[in-house]
Structures are given as C-alpha cells and as structure tokens.
Amino acid sequence: MATVAQPRPRTRSTVAARRRPALRHLGPNWYAAVMGTAIIANAGAGLPFHVPGLPVVWALSLAMLVVLLVARAGHWLHHRDQARAHLLDPTVAPFYGCLSMAFLAVGIGSLSVGTDVIGEAPAVPLAWVLYGAGTLIGLVAAVAVPYLMVVRHDVAPGSASPVWLLPVVAPMVSATLGPLLVPHLPAGQAREAMLLGSYAMFGMSLLATLVILPVVFSRLIHRGALPLFLTPTLFLVLGPLGQSTTAVNKLADVAGGSIGATYAHGMAAFAVLYGVPVMGFALMWLALAVAMAVRAARRGMGFAMTWWAFTFPVGTCVTGAEGLARHTGLHAFDWLAVALYALLVAAWLVAGFHTGRGLVDGRLLAAPGKK
C-alpha cells in the first residue's frame, strides 16, 4: 500500500524565514552604506572649494539611515534567530560598530551641511540625538563585541580581520562629533567635560586599534592575502588613522574656548605632531590596500557589500588632511584632500551602483548559498 508523505514539522526558524523573507539576511554591515554616503557630504564640506549638492547627499544619508533602522527593526522582530546568530558570528558581530558610526556620520553632516536643508534650529537638536545614540551604541559595542569574541565566539587561529577594528573605532567618530557640539554648550564645566570626554574616547579607540592592528598584519604576513571578497576590508585600517587625525584637529579647533590657554596651545601642537606622522602611515597603508585590491580584481573579485569599505575610511583621510591643511597652512594638504576626495567619490559611485542593482535583482538580500 502506498504511503503518504507526512508534512515536515514547521520549526520556529522556518516559520520566521517565511515572514518578511527579504529582511532575513539584512545584516548590520548595511550601515556601512549610510556611513559611506554621509562621508561624501562631510568631507566635501571642508574642501578649499565649493562642492555642489552636498546637502542633498546628506539628506540621502539621513533617509537611508531611517529606512535601514526600520528594516533592521523588522529583522529583529521577524528573524530573531538570525539576529542572534549574527551576534554569535565573529565575522558579523563586529559590524555592529557600523550602527554607531552611521548615527555619528549623519550627525556630523547635520552640523556641517544639514543646516542648509533643515535649518540650524532643528539641525542642532538632531545632531545631539544622533550623537547620544551613536556614542552609547559605540561604547557598548566597543566592549560587548570583544567580550563576545572572548567568551562566546569560536575564532579560528589566524582568522584576524580588519573587520575587528569596526567596534573599537566607533568612539573615535564620537570624538570627532563631540567638538562640533562644544560651541552649543555653556562655557565652563560643560565645554571642558565634552572636550576631555572626547579626548578620552579618542584614547580608548586609539589604544584598542594599536592592540588589534598588529594581529591583523601578522595574519596577513603568516597566512597570506585575504579571500577575494574580503580584500576591500583592508581599507578599514584607514578608518582609525584618518578619523583620529580628524578628531585631534577638530578638538584643537574648539580647545581655545573650552580649556586653559596652556592646554589649548598643547592640543593645537598635538594635532599637527600627531596628525602628520599618522597621515603618512595612512598613505602607506592606502598604497598597500590599493595594490591588494588590484591584485584581487585581476583574480576575479566580484561585488560584495565589503566594497563599501572603499568609502568611509578613505573619507576620514580626506577630513584628516583638511584638518592638517587648516592648522599648518600647507597647500599640499589641500591638494591631498582633493585627490583623496576624488577617489572617495569614484568609490561611492561604484559601490552605490552595484548596491542598487543588487537590491533590484534581489541578489544582495538572498540567502548566502542562493546569490
């Protein structure tokens, strides 16, 4: 007698997968697209000439942030199993630093170009909200992600990746937005606390980077080149380098009205004495990363969301060079900023085009084995 196949029991994960399937594989790495878009406006605002359309680009980054926050909320609501799996995956969890930096990057743009879109009255409160949310998330991620890597993640030997820098570099972006908010605080204790608090976040991020970066370079030397699709993440090393240079220059800009003259002069000197050598190292690493990217492209590197690593980190080098131009008066730094900005815009256009196409045809939101 013929047997009738019994229907498979539906597990919670299979039921969840059928609800909002387009959101199931929407990871925190998507916030990198918001960062990469916002930095176009932020970096363009400091160039020695006017760049048209920057307020529109900032408004686009704000809209992208709102849409992505809603989509990620749907991901957590309908696909909690996948969201928990992301947190327990050492290759995905570090991208929660991008959530913090997306808030902060849009917040910086709110003060630099957003006033041309929405006016100063709403732009300043918006920047405060974005700063508060981004800083809180960044500080939590800077501790929680390394904690998970130690006690919960199964990290294979020799698997160090520049992605590990993402959660610890987030406080450095807070240290850049903080100085922009200093003039909106009452003179005295409030301004000094914001100034020194930003320096503290600069320090925690810098020292954490100095711990992680040697491990990443050791992996490259002893294990060889990264897999092709991860090669763009080499550009992430530029993030803490360019962002720290930007931060010390922004802090020096507001030190005069926030702390004693002796410390203010010291901070202005430190901005140059720290920023110039670090920018030199950033350019060396940029040359190495470009060479590795060219090598990967010749070997068939296809588009992945990791291509957004070509944008924000390069943008931080643009803002770092702009700060050094401002404090040294050297036109060479202006020309460096312009050249890097051209590279940034080209990378943003390429990454944006492929991301849009991948969203339209559904490949970017498909399950990993179905792309």
Side-chain angles (χ1 to χ4, degrees), residues 2 42 45 78 145 297:
N42 300 346
H78 298 291
V145 174

Side-chain angles (χ1 to χ4, degrees), residues 20 23 26 31 65-80 83:
R20 306 293 190 275
L23 300 180
L26 183 72
Y31 288 109
L65 177 61
V66 172
V67 171
L68 194 51
L69 287 172
V70 172
R72 285 285 296 162
H75 171 83
W76 272 93
L77 178 64
H78 298 291
H79 304 285
R80 293 179 186 174

Side-chain angles (χ1 to χ4, degrees), residues 48 321-322 324-339:
E322 291 168 349
L324 290 174
R326 192 167 59 252
H327 284 101
T328 64
L330 283 177
H331 297 306
F333 285 116
D334 283 323
W335 287 111
L336 175 61
V338 171

Side-chain angles (χ1 to χ4, degrees), residues 40-41 43-55 57 113 341 345:
I40 294 289
L47 292 175
F49 52 83
H50 174 69
V51 179
L54 296 183
V57 176
V113 298
Y341 190 74
V345 171

